[in-house]
Amino acid sequence: MKIGIIGGSDGLGKTLNYYFKDEFDVYITGRDHNKGQKVANDIGVNYIESNKELAKISDILIISVPIHHTSNVIREVAPFMKKNSLLMDVTSVKEEPSKVMAEVLRDDVDYIPSHPIFGPRTSDLANQVIVLTPHKKGKWYDKVYNYLNNKNMRIIETTAQKHDYMMSIVQVLTHFSFISTASTIEKLKVDLSETEDYESPIYNLMIDMIARIVAQNPYLTYYIQSMNKNGHHIRNTFSEAVTELRDVINNGDDEKFIEIAINATKHMDDITNALGRSDKAINSLNQEYSLLTKSIGHEIALRHIYSGKVHVGILESVDNKTTTLKKGNEIKRLRLANIEVLSAEELKLWKIENYNRKTESISCVFKNNINEKIILKTIANIEDIIDVKLTEKYSGPQIAEDSISLTFKIESISKYAILNVKELLRGFGGIIR
């Protein structure tokens, strides 16, 4: 099956390549042909310069372009869609694209307006939300639904109108309030680094979330605001709430303030779960920091959560922002916010996949009453040992009558592990031959 992605060289469209390329024959287009060809080569998909030509060959065509261009692209490709093919879009506003698809597509082309509610930085589809707003369900709908369901995605089926209203709360209100807060901080000329000594965990989470929103493409954020028909009402209501709260406090009306706060709290519904989720986020950050501080001076593996690259070395130091790893003469500093700590088992598996293996057979003489099973189990627990086998048991010439020679085949990922095995065997009373 051929899947075409218009806008597949940037943003969410680029991320979709990684999800589809191992299962389908993926083709992409992009505004910048040089960049598009490079992205296609790097990811391992195909590049076509023409949206129309892509429409002609695609079984499923996905439009992933800025919101204000989506309708025009739908009109551009509609006449060239393959018979019995499917057109989808992944934009944050659904009413306008749905209307245009219904108007311009032939009856032999299905369409499913959709909105994946996650960003380009998402690395796994499991438990991610996707909204489908079908105007009518054609032959493709169940196939798409089952595919997404098999990826363990959370699928919401609704109308385009309901979707846009919900997004006016989830996106329009959230982005507007967060950007307003960030703008206030900027107008006050606050140096956020100076607030670090006074930070609470909740403040940290809030600043991180605000930074995540304002760091998005400002054009995307603007069009999410301006192209949602509910946006005007949402922003005006927010402004009225801010003005009311400001005036209540400035006028010293404590009773009115308490009334507003209590009503707002009641309307938040499940406060207990909200506290639990925020506590979990805070505890997770604290546990990771505690683990890192306990690992100072020891070998550790840190995986960059966006690039996926694993960095292994001796952890020299950690503060509230940065970890410092040393490997040989190389010093690597990684931002705490961008890494996750691999477990001991994950580190071992990574080493097995990435380090050269070393194999050595070691023969050792023990007294006859030695417990070989205990020796094997103990060797297997030595760090960097991949495998150990007892390959020979020998008693005869050159071996005392009360003794036995055992030969162990050792596979490891470091020469130091082999040395540790020999030291262990001596500790069991063995004499290496």
Side-chain angles (χ1 to χ4, degrees):
M1 182 185 295
K2 289 184 172 63
I3 290 186
I5 304 174
I6 297 178
S9 60
D10 283 295
L12 182 58
K14 181 178 179 180
T15 301
L16 293 177
N17 288 306
Y18 294 99
Y19 299 140
F20 296 144
K21 71 186 184 77
D22 293 332
E23 299 180 75
F24 307 103
D25 197 4
V26 179
Y27 292 75
I28 68 171
T29 64
R31 285 178 294 179
D32 183 329
H33 297 317
N34 290 331
K35 178 181 180 181
Q37 187 66 66
K38 183 179 186 307
V39 169
N41 292 341
D42 290 344
I43 296 175
V45 297
N46 308 287
Y47 185 76
I48 292 180
E49 293 190 359
S50 167
N51 292 341
K52 296 175 183 178
E53 293 302 315
L54 182 58
K56 291 178 182 179
I57 67 168
S58 297
D59 298 297
I60 298 177
L61 184 63
I62 300 172
I63 298 176
S64 179
V65 300
I67 301 171
H68 58 297
H69 291 312
T70 301
S71 294
N72 288 336
V73 174
I74 293 171
R75 292 188 178 94
E76 175 192 3
V77 300
F80 302 93
M81 293 287 295
K82 280 179 61 175
K83 182 179 179 180
N84 298 322
S85 62
L86 170 67
L87 180 64
M88 300 182 70
D89 79 301
V90 291
T91 49
S92 303
V93 176
K94 294 271 71 76
E95 285 192 70
E96 180 66 19
S98 300
K99 178 182 175 183
V100 175
M101 287 181 187
E103 289 176 354
V104 302
L105 288 172
R106 303 188 311 271
D107 290 339
D108 60 5
V109 176
D110 285 357
Y111 60 95
I112 306 175
S114 67
H115 180 199
I117 306 183
F118 53 87
R121 299 167 79 97
T122 303
S123 58
D124 190 354
L125 292 177
N127 206 39
Q128 299 296 332
V129 176
I130 185 166
V131 182
L132 305 179
T133 63
H135 179 259
K136 57 181 180 179
K137 296 182 180 180
K139 69 171 187 177
W140 279 97
Y141 190 81
D142 287 343
K143 296 178 183 178
V144 170
Y145 186 98
N146 291 334
Y147 176 82
L148 300 173
N149 191 50
N150 288 335
K151 296 295 182 182
N152 295 317
M153 296 192 73
R154 294 159 55 196
I155 307 168
I156 298 174
E157 298 176 280
T158 188
T159 64
Q161 293 76 15
K162 179 67 174 293
H163 166 274
D164 284 5
Y165 178 71
M166 289 293 103
M167 285 301 103
S168 71
I169 306 301
V170 173
Q171 287 187 324
V172 174
L173 176 59
T174 303
H175 293 186
F176 188 74
S177 59
F178 279 10
I179 293 170
S180 296
T181 302
S183 181
T184 302
I185 292 172
E186 186 273 328
K187 291 180 185 299
L188 292 171
K189 304 303 178 188
V190 175
D191 183 350
L192 285 177
S193 64
E194 291 184 1
T195 69
E196 290 177 359
D197 292 338
Y198 305 88
E199 289 176 346
S200 67
I202 292 297
Y203 174 82
N204 277 334
L205 285 174
M206 183 193 73
I207 290 296
D208 288 346
M209 293 308 301
I210 291 174
R212 188 180 182 92
I213 294 299
V214 299
Q216 291 182 2
N217 183 331
Y219 291 100
L220 171 63
T221 308
Y222 172 77
Y223 287 113
I224 287 175
Q225 292 288 324
S226 63
M227 296 197 69
N228 189 311
K229 293 179 180 179
N230 306 285
H232 188 268
H233 173 65
I234 297 297
R235 290 186 294 273
N236 283 350
T237 304
F238 175 79
S239 298
E240 291 167 6
V242 170
T243 300
E244 179 187 24
L245 198 60
R246 180 201 64 190
D247 292 344
V248 164
I249 296 171
N250 288 348
N251 293 332
D253 191 345
D254 58 339
E255 292 186 2
K256 184 62 177 176
F257 177 85
I258 292 169
E259 178 189 338
I260 292 172
I262 289 176
N263 287 339
T265 302
K266 288 179 178 178
H267 197 72
M268 292 303 291
D269 194 24
D270 196 344
I271 296 296
T272 301
N273 272 343
L275 292 173
R277 287 191 297 269
S278 56
D279 284 345
K280 188 182 293 185
I282 292 167
N283 291 336
S284 176
L285 293 173
N286 290 339
Q287 288 172 4
E288 185 173 68
Y289 185 80
S290 176
L291 174 61
L292 285 167
T293 55
K294 291 177 181 177
S295 300
I296 292 175
H298 300 281
E299 185 181 54
I300 195 169
L302 304 175
R303 178 164 49 216
H304 197 281
I305 59 178
Y306 303 121
S307 70
K309 184 175 181 180
V310 174
H311 303 271
V312 177
I314 303 300
L315 183 62
E316 288 209 322
S317 64
V318 58
D319 57 33
N320 63 342
K321 284 189 176 181
T322 309
T323 59
T324 302
L325 282 180
K326 185 175 183 181
K327 186 175 183 179
N329 295 323
E330 180 185 0
I331 298 293
K332 186 74 176 181
R333 291 180 175 84
L334 299 166
R335 287 183 61 83
L336 194 59
N338 295 338
I339 55 96
E340 60 181 352
V341 183
L342 270 62
S343 67
E345 183 62 27
E346 288 173 322
L347 172 56
K348 184 174 182 179
L349 290 174
W350 183 87
K351 284 183 175 180
I352 291 172
E353 292 176 358
N354 292 274
Y355 285 2
N356 292 327
R357 300 187 181 198
K358 298 171 177 59
T359 303
E360 185 171 335
S361 290
I362 304 172
S363 296
C364 196
V365 177
F366 298 94
K367 294 297 183 181
N368 282 329
N369 62 354
I370 192 70
N371 190 321
E372 61 194 49
K373 292 182 179 179
I374 291 179
I375 294 179
L376 285 167
K377 186 175 181 179
T378 308
I379 292 174
N381 288 329
I382 293 177
E383 186 177 359
D384 290 346
I385 293 296
I386 300 173
D387 191 31
V388 55
K389 292 184 176 69
L390 178 61
T391 58
E392 184 183 48
K393 297 167 68 173
Y394 173 74
S395 58
Q398 301 180 341
I399 304 296
E401 290 186 4
D402 62 347
S403 299
I404 187 171
S405 174
L406 303 178
T407 300
F408 300 94
K409 184 179 180 181
I410 312 295
E411 190 174 5
S412 78
I413 46 180
S414 77
K415 62 181 181 181
Y416 302 105
I418 300 292
L419 295 175
N420 288 336
V421 170
K422 292 179 178 178
E423 188 65 28
L424 174 74
L425 294 175
R426 295 188 184 100
F428 273 104
I431 301 172
I432 296 177
R433 298 175 63 189

